[in-house]
Each structure stands twice: as C-alpha cells, then as structure tokens.
Amino acid sequence: MADQSFDLIVIGAGPGGYVCAIRAAQLGMTVACVEERETLGGTCLNVGCIPSKALLQASEKYGEALHALSGFGVKVEGVSLDLDAMLEHKDKVVEANVKGIEFLFKKNKIAWLKGAAKIAAPGKVEVAGAIYAAKHIVIASGSDSIDLPGIAVDEERIVSSTGALDLEAVPERMVVIGGGYIGLELGTVWQRLGAQVTVVEFLDRLVPAMDRELSTQFQRVLRKQGMTFKFKTKVTGAVAGEDGVKLTLEAADGGKSEEMETDVLLVAVGRKPRTAGLGLNAIGVQLDSRGRIATDGRWRTTVDGIYAVGDAIAGPMLAHKAEEEGVAVAEMLAGGVGHVNYETVPGIVYTWPEVATVGKTEEELKTSAVAYKVGKFPFTANGRARAMNATEGFVKILADAGTDRILGCHIIGAEAGTLIHEVIVAMEFGGSAEDLARSFHGHPTLNETVKEAALGVAGRAIHL
Ligand code: FAD
Ligand code: NAD
C-alpha cells in the first residue's frame, strides 16, 4: 500500500527535474519531486551554472576596474579585492534562485519529497522509508564530477568545480586539469582575481568539440590574458601537502614524466551520469555503454512508465538541454507531442570574450557530403564593438551551398552568448543566411556582426 499517490513523480530537482515537475503541474497532473539535497535547483543552481556565473560576473567587474576602465577615461584608484564579499554575492544569488524554485513548487502545488529516491518497482518510489505510487516516473538525477585515479579531491587544495566556487583565498598558482567549460570558466575567475593559471589538456586544443577556428582564437585570447597551456598532456598523480600540491605530468601518449607544483589543483575532466542508488538494475532500467540511462527518442527507458532526462541520459550536459527535455516529457505524458530539436542546442562559455556555438562545426561539414559556404565578420569592423573597446573576435556562419539554409554558427566576442540566439531562432524556423541578412538589425549594435556574417555567406558583407 502506497503512502500517497501522484500522476507523476520526478526524481531530482535540477533543471531537468524541476522544470518537468512545473510543466506537468501546469498541465493538470498531481506531481511530486524527490530531492535529497537541502535545497532545490540541482547542480545548476546550487554548485553549477548560477554560482559560476555570479563569480564570473563579479570577477569581470574587478578586472574592469583594475585594467579596463582607464581605457574609457575613467580613473579608478586604490582598487582592491574583498573576496569574502564576492563569495557572499555568489551565495546570495544562489539562495535567491533556489528559494525561487521553492516558491514555484508551492505555487504549482508540487510536493517536495525530501530524501534519496529509490525506484522500488515500476510505479513505486521509496523515499525515507515511505512508498509513493505514481502513474509515471521521470528520472532527472543529473551528474557528478569525474575523478582521476590517484588524485584525491579534498575540496581545499585539490578541488572539483564545487570547491573551486568557494576557495578561502586567491591562490598564487592554480593548475586546472581539463581545458573544457569548467576549467576555462573557473580558471578565468581565479586568474582575474590574481592567480597564475595553467591548464593541462589531454587533447591538442581547448574545448575539443568546438569549431577549430573558434577554439584556436579562444586559446590565443586566453593566452594574451596570461593563462598558460600544456596540451597533449595528462596528470598522472597529485599529492596535497601543507604548502601546496605536487603533480606529475606526462605526455598524453606516454614518455618522460615531469613534476610541477601548485597551490590549488582543479580537476575538471568532465562529468558522469548519476545513476547509483536508484535501484535501476533491479527493475530492469538499462544503461548504455557509457553508463547513461538508455532512452529512446521519446525519453522512455527500457521499463514502461519510467522516463529519463538531462545529464543522466545521452547528449550535451547542459541545463537548457535538460529543461527542454523536462518540458517535452511532461507535455508528452499529458497527451501532447513533446519536442526537442537537438540540432540547435547552443553551447556557451561565459569567459571574456564569450564563446557561443550552435549547429554543425566546419570540421563536421568537411567530413559530410554537404557542400557549404562560410560567412565571417570580425568585431573589429563593428562600430559598437569599437565603442565598447571589445573588438576581439568574430562571427562565423555556415550555410548549405545549395539551399542557403543555416547549418551552424560560431561566435567569439563580446556578448556572444546573447548574439547566438537570433541564429538559433532562425535555424529553428529552417531559416537561410539570406533571411538573417535581410532582417533589420538596429544600429549600432553588436548584432550587426551577425547580419554582416550572414551577408558574408553570399560574399556581400558591407562593412568589410
Ligand atoms: P542536476 O542539476 O545535476 O540535478 C539532479 C538533482 O537530482 C540533484 O540535485 C541531485 O541531488 C538529485 N538526485 C540525484 N539522485 C537522486 C536520488 N536518488 N534521490 C533524490 N535526489 C536525487 N550548464 C549550462 O547550461 N550552463 C552553464 O553555465 C553551466 N555551468 C555549469 C557550471 C558548473 C560548475 C557545473 C558543474 C555545471 C554547469 N552546467 C552548466 C551544467 C548543468 O549544471 C547541468 O547540465 C544541469 O544541472 C543538468 O540538470 P539535471 O536536472 O539533469 O541534473
Ligand atoms: P568538458 O567535457 O567540457 O571538458 C573536459 C576537458 O578535460 C576536455 O577538454 C577533455 O579533453 C579534458 N580531459 C579529460 N581527461 C583528461 C585528463 N586525464 N587530463 C587532461 N585533460 C583531460 O568537462 P567539464 O569542463 O568538466 O564540464 C562538464 C560539463 O559541464 C561540460 O561538458 C558542460 O556540459 C557542463 N558545463 C557547461 C558550462 C556552460 O554551459 N557554460 C559550464 C560548465 C560546465
């Protein structure tokens, strides 16, 4: 006998889970969401997207006051860092966001079941000794940081992203293992605050899945900012002591090892789906070869009535991807269709300048049968970018050579993460480069770089 019954029980209150719960409640279902963390919002709101962006924003202000404002004729003297206040800003932002989800749960009459969920049987979820029944179960259990063998994370000297959001003092030296999203964003934060940051990356470039031209430019800009890189290198061991961390490094393909010392080591080599403790094996929910919950094109697991979304399943580990899946599953369960267009999931790195990407990379198109055209426009040729002293970067649009349909867009530059969205909307509507090029773009705006790149696809950029 169940203690209580719901139309839907969602496991995990991150962006995948809480958004799914809210949409299902909007559609008239009775909904419970199980979350074992003290607060709602999952990785993203508590120790991910939100706190990292709060620190990126705050450290950018500090960097501007130190180095950039004088370029506008604004003299600022005696600039100093109050790290405690900066961390407090971050904590307040997190608190406001997680409290916001609590409010939304109350507003939508979603029951928060506190504790760790285990699926006792299809349609039955166990939380803190009680059994709850549900017509449908959605697993949105998210992901955890990947550890490296022989490197014990203590969250003080050797930290994961969570520890790197809360360092007590600015380290003199920081080594980051992994030149991906987390390494570059959190490396940027501490570098702006004064640390000498070295990124050790296994492959030959930063954010390896990104369009190569973008990644090369990104590396150049970060290097100019003082970040140093060791590519094709792996860390084979690290020991934390009183005075810092001793590392051993080796070429990725083996060879002589080298030693290095640092004050703080950040391990940021990716994340893995969180599936332990849910009882999946016992009830027949299968995982794929990479340990992710196996789902079909409709987010159905191998057991009827059990669905999965977000970081726990295949696809980019991004909050907006998890959210869209959560919405789609809720709509499907309420008798609707549910739709996620995986061709238009943007990836954005919130450094300075920002880097934003959507759709196919040029490398992917080169190895496909599709003939494509490229339009590119530099920020140096944009009036607003000049006014902002932000002339670093470019917009690159890839379009089908036959139909002109937009296939991808890659931007490095000021507000790239905002600029990319007009391209996403155009792609969602099956738009062409010509559609973008003929749409009004207010002057003077950074958005004009997108228009000019779209014009460039047909070889007719005006300001180049
Ligand atoms: P999660 O957010 O991980 O939530 C899962 C929740 O389920 C957790 O709260 C967990 O406690 C709970 N849970 C798991 N198992 C159980 C159980 N058995 N019982 C009860 N509760 C359970 N993405 C972006 O798009 N933009 C960004 O800027 C960005 N920045 C990031 C920065 C950092 C430092 C990190 C680490 C990640 C960042 N991400 C970012 C990735 C983003 O956080 C994830 O893609 C997103 O949180 C995934 O959402 P989710 O709902 O699938 O899982
Ligand atoms: P990542 O996959 O972005 O980058 C990991 C990097 O580590 C890769 O470049 C990989 O080649 C490298 N690597 C792997 N093993 C290594 C080793 N042994 N030695 C040296 N380098 C190694 O992973 P992440 O930075 O940990 O972030 C995890 C996920 O969180 C991201 O994939 C992303 O989906 C999400 N995230 C997104 C944002 C954002 O949207 N702005 C920010 C942070 C995190």
Side-chain angles (χ1 to χ4, degrees), residues 323-358:
E323 288 185 21
E324 289 307 313
E325 289 175 341
V327 167
V329 170
E331 292 182 347
M332 203 175 74
L333 295 178
V337 181
H339 163 79
V340 176
N341 180 359
Y342 290 100
E343 297 297 315
T344 57
V345 184
I348 301 163
V349 194
Y350 297 86
T351 44
W352 177 265
E354 289 183 349
V355 179
T357 167
V358 65

Side-chain angles (χ1 to χ4, degrees), residues 230-407:
K230 283 177 179 286
F231 290 105
K232 295 199 218 166
T233 306
K234 61 184 175 196
V235 176
T236 50
V239 181
E242 280 292 293
D243 304 326
V245 183
K246 282 200 169 69
L247 311 171
T248 39
L249 310 167
E250 206 176 281
D253 51 6
K256 233 177 78 189
S257 66
E258 172 196 344
E259 300 215 323
M260 196 176 170
E261 286 187 18
T262 187
D263 300 303
V264 171
L265 174 67
L266 164 60
V267 184
V269 293
R271 296 179 61 82
K272 56 177 191 282
R274 183 159 167 197
T275 54
L278 286 162
L280 300 184
N281 196 23
I283 54 161
V285 171
Q286 283 171 14
L287 305 184
D288 68 15
S289 59
R290 292 172 60 185
R292 306 172 295 200
I293 297 174
T295 50
D296 65 7
R298 313 297 296 154
W299 307 282
R300 289 179 293 214
T301 69
T302 44
V303 172
D304 275 355
I306 304 182
Y307 303 79
V309 298
D311 279 12
I313 70 167
M317 289 182 162
L318 295 170
H320 41 278
K321 178 262 192 188
E323 288 185 21
E324 289 307 313
E325 289 175 341
V327 167
V329 170
E331 292 182 347
M332 203 175 74
L333 295 178
V337 181
H339 163 79
V340 176
N341 180 359
Y342 290 100
E343 297 297 315
T344 57
V345 184
I348 301 163
V349 194
Y350 297 86
T351 44
W352 177 265
E354 289 183 349
V355 179
T357 167
V358 65
K360 300 280 184 241
T361 65
E362 194 163 357
E363 289 70 43
E364 283 170 330
L365 291 177
K366 272 184 188 151
T367 54
S368 74
V370 180
Y372 65 93
K373 291 182 293 184
V374 185
K376 249 177 84 176
F377 192 79
F379 278 64
T380 40
N382 174 273
R384 186 65 181 276
R386 283 200 203 108
M388 292 167 67
N389 279 350
T391 51
E392 198 82 64
F394 59 83
V395 177
K396 173 175 175 178
I397 292 179
L398 302 163
D400 187 296
T403 64
D404 197 37
R405 189 178 177 137
I406 304 163
L407 302 172

Side-chain angles (χ1 to χ4, degrees), residues 402-446:
T403 64
D404 197 37
R405 189 178 177 137
I406 304 163
L407 302 172
C409 177
H410 309 283
I411 310 177
I412 178 165
E415 295 176 30
T418 305
L419 298 180
I420 196 98
H421 286 87
E422 65 167 293
V423 185
I424 297 171
V425 174
M427 286 174 76
E428 194 60 48
F429 283 84
S432 63
E434 177 89 14
D435 288 328
L436 271 184
R438 294 217 178 258
S439 300
F440 266 113
H441 285 70
H443 177 74
T445 59
L446 294 175

Side-chain angles (χ1 to χ4, degrees), residues 11-17 34-37 42-44 47-49 52-53 115-117 140-143 161 182 271 274 278 310-311 317-320 322 350:
I11 300 175
V34 195
E35 175 54 61
E36 63 182 349
R37 204 186 280 271
T43 304
C44 181
V47 289
C49 327
S52 60
K53 266 73 256 173
S141 52
S143 62
S161 53
I182 291 179
R271 296 179 61 82
R274 183 159 167 197
L278 286 162
D311 279 12
M317 289 182 162
L318 295 170
H320 41 278
Y350 297 86

Side-chain angles (χ1 to χ4, degrees), residues 66-362:
L66 274 182
H67 310 294
L69 291 180
S70 59
F72 294 96
V74 180
K75 278 194 177 171
V76 188
E77 278 160 20
V79 176
S80 65
L81 174 68
D82 182 344
L83 182 60
D84 288 344
M86 199 177 273
L87 295 176
E88 199 181 308
H89 157 69
K90 179 239 342 164
D91 293 339
K92 277 190 186 148
V93 172
V94 168
E95 196 187 333
N97 276 272
V98 299
K99 283 264 158 31
I101 309 301
E102 242 179 83
F103 163 78
L104 291 172
F105 269 26
K106 284 196 187 117
K107 180 180 161 202
N108 288 285
K109 302 190 173 43
I110 296 163
W112 174 5
L113 308 178
K114 296 185 184 181
K118 184 177 165 207
I119 307 179
K124 297 267 184 303
V125 177
E126 187 184 331
V127 186
I131 296 283
Y132 299 90
K135 282 190 208 135
H136 317 286
I137 296 170
V138 173
I139 306 170
S141 52
S143 62
D144 291 311
S145 312
I146 294 177
D147 291 326
L148 285 176
I151 302 181
V153 169
D154 59 20
E155 298 297 14
E156 281 181 18
R157 289 259 181 216
I158 303 183
V159 295
S160 70
S161 53
T162 301
L165 291 167
D166 240 344
L167 297 182
E168 274 177 3
V170 180
E172 252 178 64
R173 300 160 301 175
M174 176 183 247
V175 169
V176 177
I177 315 181
Y181 282 78
I182 291 179
L184 298 177
E185 287 187 351
L186 294 179
T188 289
V189 165
W190 293 104
Q191 172 164 297
R192 284 174 181 160
L193 302 183
Q196 170 57 56
V197 175
T198 303
V199 176
V200 180
E201 166 58 50
F202 189 78
L203 297 175
D204 65 347
R205 60 186 178 117
L206 299 178
V207 203
M210 192 180 273
D211 187 274
R212 185 173 277 274
E213 202 177 356
L214 206 67
S215 144
T216 306
Q217 173 82 353
F218 192 20
Q219 182 188 322
R220 217 172 51 78
V221 180
L222 292 178
R223 189 164 267 154
K224 238 172 39 189
Q225 291 171 10
M227 208 175 258
T228 54
F229 300 101
K230 283 177 179 286
F231 290 105
K232 295 199 218 166
T233 306
K234 61 184 175 196
V235 176
T236 50
V239 181
E242 280 292 293
D243 304 326
V245 183
K246 282 200 169 69
L247 311 171
T248 39
L249 310 167
E250 206 176 281
D253 51 6
K256 233 177 78 189
S257 66
E258 172 196 344
E259 300 215 323
M260 196 176 170
E261 286 187 18
T262 187
D263 300 303
V264 171
L265 174 67
L266 164 60
V267 184
V269 293
R271 296 179 61 82
K272 56 177 191 282
R274 183 159 167 197
T275 54
L278 286 162
L280 300 184
N281 196 23
I283 54 161
V285 171
Q286 283 171 14
L287 305 184
D288 68 15
S289 59
R290 292 172 60 185
R292 306 172 295 200
I293 297 174
T295 50
D296 65 7
R298 313 297 296 154
W299 307 282
R300 289 179 293 214
T301 69
T302 44
V303 172
D304 275 355
I306 304 182
Y307 303 79
V309 298
D311 279 12
I313 70 167
M317 289 182 162
L318 295 170
H320 41 278
K321 178 262 192 188
E323 288 185 21
E324 289 307 313
E325 289 175 341
V327 167
V329 170
E331 292 182 347
M332 203 175 74
L333 295 178
V337 181
H339 163 79
V340 176
N341 180 359
Y342 290 100
E343 297 297 315
T344 57
V345 184
I348 301 163
V349 194
Y350 297 86
T351 44
W352 177 265
E354 289 183 349
V355 179
T357 167
V358 65
K360 300 280 184 241
T361 65
E362 194 163 357

